[in-house]
Amino acid sequence: ALIGCREYFELISQVGVEGFPKLGMALSFLLLLSFYFGSDYLLQWGLMTVVSVIAAWFLIEKDVKIAIVQISFTLLGIFYVAGLSGYYLLLREIGSGRQWLLFLFIVIWSGDIAAYYVGKNWGKSPLAQAVSPNKTIEGAVGGLSGNLVAAGVVSVWFLDSTPVWVNLIGALICGIIGQFGDLAESLLKRNAGIKDSGNLIPGHGGVLDRIDSLLFAGPALYCYLSLWH
C-alpha cells in the first residue's frame, strides 16, 4: 500500500500537482494501523489527518490558488490507496477470512486474464475509449465470465462454508466493481500521459497497475460479506 501511495504521488506530479508525499505516506501507514487495531482509532486518525494536511500547506506552500488542489489530491491519495487497502485487514478478520482473501485474489486475477484474452482476440466495441482505448465491452464480459468460473471452482475447491450462489454473486459484484477500479487508475494515468504507474515489476508496471482492481473489489467483498456474518 505504501509503495502504491508513493506511485500515486509520482503520478499526480506528472499532472502538475505537487502534493505532500512524505506526509501522505506517513498518514497512510497510520491509517492502516487504525484498520488493524480497530475502528475506534479511525476517528482520531481522521481529525489528525485533516489538521496535518492543512497545517503542512501553511508551513510549506504560499500560493493560495493551488491550496485546495494540493490538499484535495493528498487526501484522495491516502483514501484511494491506503483507505481501500485497509479493508483487506477487515476482510481477514471475518469468518473464514483467509479463505475469502484467496477467493478474491483468484477471482480477480482470473477475470483479468480472461478479459485480456477475450479482448485481444474478439474485442471490437470500446468500453471507455476516452479513458482506456484498449478496453472493450467484449473483454469486460469475458472478464466477468472468468470471475464466475473461478468462483465456481474455488467454491468446490476450498470455500464450501457458504452456498455456491452466494460466492457467485460475490464474484460478480467484485468483478464489476473491480473493472471500475481498473478504469479509475487508467483515468489517473491518462491525465498524467503515462502508460504505467511505475516500473517496479518488469513487464507489468508498478504496484498500482497490479492492485487497481483489487483496491475496489476488496471493500466491495467486505461489504457484501458483512450481510452474511
Side-chain angles (χ1 to χ4, degrees), residues 41-113:
Y41 291 93
L42 291 174
L43 299 176
Q44 291 90 328
W45 176 89
L47 175 61
M48 179 184 66
T49 296
V50 174
V51 172
S52 298
V53 174
I54 294 176
W57 185 89
F58 277 106
L59 293 172
I60 299 173
E61 301 293 341
K62 295 181 180 180
D63 188 355
V64 296
K65 293 183 179 179
I66 62 172
I68 299 300
V69 174
Q70 287 183 297
I71 292 171
S72 299
F73 270 82
T74 299
L75 292 174
L76 173 63
I78 296 170
F79 285 108
Y80 170 52
V81 184
L84 296 179
S85 296
Y87 278 86
Y88 280 84
L89 294 169
L90 301 180
L91 187 59
R92 182 178 178 273
E93 296 304 317
I94 66 174
S96 303
R98 294 171 184 263
Q99 288 85 350
W100 281 113
L101 285 173
L102 186 58
F103 166 88
L104 182 60
F105 294 146
I106 293 175
V107 165
I108 292 299
W109 287 335
S110 297
D112 288 345
I113 294 171

Side-chain angles (χ1 to χ4, degrees), residues 145-161:
S145 300
N147 298 142
L148 292 173
V149 171
V153 172
V154 169
S155 297
V156 176
W157 180 17
F158 64 80
L159 193 61
D160 56 359
S161 57

Side-chain angles (χ1 to χ4, degrees), residues 6-7 15 37 40 66 78 99 102 121 126 132 154 171 187 214:
R6 185 191 66 183
E7 290 179 355
V15 186
F37 286 111
D40 291 343
I66 62 172
I78 296 170
Q99 288 85 350
L102 186 58
N121 290 279
S132 186
V154 169
L187 178 61
L214 290 169

Side-chain angles (χ1 to χ4, degrees), residues 1-222:
L2 294 180
I3 295 173
C5 189
R6 185 191 66 183
E7 290 179 355
Y8 166 85
F9 282 105
E10 292 175 350
L11 194 153
I12 65 170
S13 69
Q14 299 293 320
V15 186
V17 178
E18 295 297 334
F20 305 108
K22 293 181 180 179
L23 176 61
M25 291 180 66
L27 291 171
S28 294
F29 179 69
L30 292 176
L31 177 55
L32 292 171
L33 286 180
S34 299
F35 272 104
Y36 182 78
F37 286 111
S39 59
D40 291 343
Y41 291 93
L42 291 174
L43 299 176
Q44 291 90 328
W45 176 89
L47 175 61
M48 179 184 66
T49 296
V50 174
V51 172
S52 298
V53 174
I54 294 176
W57 185 89
F58 277 106
L59 293 172
I60 299 173
E61 301 293 341
K62 295 181 180 180
D63 188 355
V64 296
K65 293 183 179 179
I66 62 172
I68 299 300
V69 174
Q70 287 183 297
I71 292 171
S72 299
F73 270 82
T74 299
L75 292 174
L76 173 63
I78 296 170
F79 285 108
Y80 170 52
V81 184
L84 296 179
S85 296
Y87 278 86
Y88 280 84
L89 294 169
L90 301 180
L91 187 59
R92 182 178 178 273
E93 296 304 317
I94 66 174
S96 303
R98 294 171 184 263
Q99 288 85 350
W100 281 113
L101 285 173
L102 186 58
F103 166 88
L104 182 60
F105 294 146
I106 293 175
V107 165
I108 292 299
W109 287 335
S110 297
D112 288 345
I113 294 171
Y116 175 79
Y117 181 78
V118 173
K120 183 177 181 180
N121 290 279
W122 295 288
K124 295 181 179 179
S125 308
L127 178 65
Q129 191 167 14
V131 175
S132 186
N134 294 327
K135 289 183 174 58
T136 62
I137 295 176
E138 292 82 1
V141 173
L144 293 178
S145 300
N147 298 142
L148 292 173
V149 171
V153 172
V154 169
S155 297
V156 176
W157 180 17
F158 64 80
L159 193 61
D160 56 359
S161 57
T162 53
V164 175
W165 66 269
V166 172
N167 299 343
L168 292 176
I169 293 177
L172 185 62
I173 292 173
C174 290
I176 294 173
I177 295 181
Q179 290 192 27
F180 278 104
D182 191 357
L183 290 173
E185 200 226 354
S186 295
L187 178 61
L188 291 172
K189 292 190 293 185
R190 192 74 168 173
N191 271 271
I194 59 176
K195 182 178 181 294
D196 298 318
S197 65
N199 55 10
L200 182 65
I201 309 173
H204 292 274
V207 168
L208 278 182
D209 295 318
R210 294 301 92 207
I211 66 172
D212 51 4
S213 297
L214 290 169
L215 283 176
F216 277 43
L221 181 61
Y222 174 78

